[in-house]
Amino acid sequence: MWWPSNLVQVSLFRALHEKEKRTNGGVTRTQFFVIAFICSFAYYVFPGYLFEMLTSLSWICWIFPNSVLAQQLGSGLYGLGIGAFGLDWSTISSYLGSPLASPWFATANVAAGFFFVMYVLTPLCYWLNVYKAKTFPIYSDSLFRSDGQKYNITAIIDSNFHLDLAAYEKEGPLYITTFFAMTYGVGFAALTATIVHVALFHGRDIWKQSKSSFAEKEMDIHTKLMAKYKQVPEWWFIVILLVNIAATVFACEYYNDQLQLPWWGVLLACAIAFFFTLPIGIITAITNQAPGLNIITEYIIGYIYPGYPVANMCFKVYGYISMTQAISFLQDFKLGHYMKIPPRTMFMAQVVGTLIAAFVYLGTAWWLLETIPDICLDTSSLWTCPSDTVFYDASVIWGLIGPRRIFGDLGTYEAVNWFFLGGAIAPILVWFAAKAFPHQEWIRLINMPVLIGATGMMPPATAVNYTTWILAGFLSGFVVYRYKPEWWRRHNYVLSGALDAGLAFMGVLLYFSLGLEDVSLNWWGNDLDGCSLASCPTAKGVVVTGCPVYN
């Protein structure tokens, strides 16, 4: 199988290294990359600094500046994002990756899943006031009390960062927005859907391929060409695995007061990552969309070891991120396989790159925490850290308070667990439909793990990230099948890489030249969304600063 994201890397490699002749007076792919890169680099100064509203153009809010309902519907950042779109590549690619690198059927699955959750399930639950939905914003990743005010997390944590039960009983149960609860539900469903889908649609192929690998039968042309190189001994991987597990266990035991995670938690996290790498890897290889293990890892350790938020975060990292990194390494090996890079060279590049990245990431994080005031706090004008905020909220929900008091028999959202069953049933229905109508090939393109898990990045991703990504994906697909498909196929992935590179370089330049000195422009064009009422509750008697009170 081939990862679509690898095609971007291959196209860039060829564009920058292979000699290419012009055809019919056109430009080479190298020239096209440079042109697109310069355009992307120059343009990002507008959404990145001069005209930040280009990130989310929520025009419905402009028409109805005093209507809570209209802004709930139209806000791309704090509402349902109806009609909202962005003229900013970072809006498109920040969370879902490049739409140009995803096959059209995967884009269609994401679109179907997003529209169902965002425009059917969420409005239905909100206006039926499911889980007191109207007491809270229609879209938010914040944690609330039953009266609609922000939950005081520090009040329920003791000096050892454990849950203070007496303080928790005094503060009351924790509430999340109904949308947030539904996204956790679809996360449950996506997990079971992944297992069932892979078993039904790919189980036979996995079994045949496994037997073929052990039997060492005929090799394809790529494998034959790679056979002339020295292979990487398996014991190299095993040694690295065992050394890392041993080091992790030692760190968790030696620094147990800080990390909170016992040794068996490390082994359990590794087992979860090992089990799910194959099914999730298959889904990723086919669709370029990867279902995550973040929710199930939090859920498992939260039930087994409640009241320890740092342990929950560590377990999530060792389980979820290990699987993600494994798939990333597989992508690299697949790229090296098709580009005929010697396996040992690829192995050393990965090891050295990982070591360098570890120190660079740690140093960068340390520097940011020391130099940026109010980083990741609401008071920060630049460093709001949406992904880290959701990570922190998850540690409170799953680690500190625990799933039993949120999604279990002691919690408010117990019914959300039925999503596990729904996710397991959905691929079975598609499988039966494919068997009943074998000539309808489009049925087999319905990928339930991707469709159900489409909103898995929300929050921190917002509605405008999805609407713009889907729009760009469909436009790309339309161009491929209607206009100059050969030219587009040659330049599609090069364009994707050039847009990413231009955005990255201008983003870094803007930060070091203007962001460090907190030089900003204060005008209406830099009001990111212009939908100040979108986060207002609509329940009677709930008082929130800046919002109307309903009687």
Side-chain angles (χ1 to χ4, degrees), residues 128-146:
L128 289 177
N129 206 28
V130 176
Y131 298 129
K132 304 176 68 172
K134 294 183 179 180
T135 306
F136 318 111
I138 194 169
Y139 173 88
S140 175
D141 59 9
S142 297
L143 309 178
F144 298 93
R145 299 185 321 207
S146 60

Side-chain angles (χ1 to χ4, degrees), residues 292-313:
L293 290 181
N294 51 323
I295 293 177
I296 194 60
T297 51
E298 296 162 340
Y299 198 109
I300 291 174
I301 195 64
Y303 253 111
I304 298 175
Y305 203 53
Y308 297 90
V310 181
N312 193 281
M313 288 190 290

Side-chain angles (χ1 to χ4, degrees), residues 143 153-154 157 313 387-397:
L143 309 178
I153 304 301
T154 57
I157 303 177
M313 288 190 290
S387 296
D388 297 308
T389 300
V390 174
F391 197 94
Y392 167 77
D393 292 343
S395 73
V396 173
I397 294 170

Side-chain angles (χ1 to χ4, degrees), residues 220-234:
D220 60 33
I221 184 61
H222 298 286
T223 306
K224 289 180 180 178
L225 291 173
M226 291 294 289
K228 69 178 183 178
Y229 295 120
K230 285 186 176 181
Q231 299 302 305
V232 179
E234 289 189 11

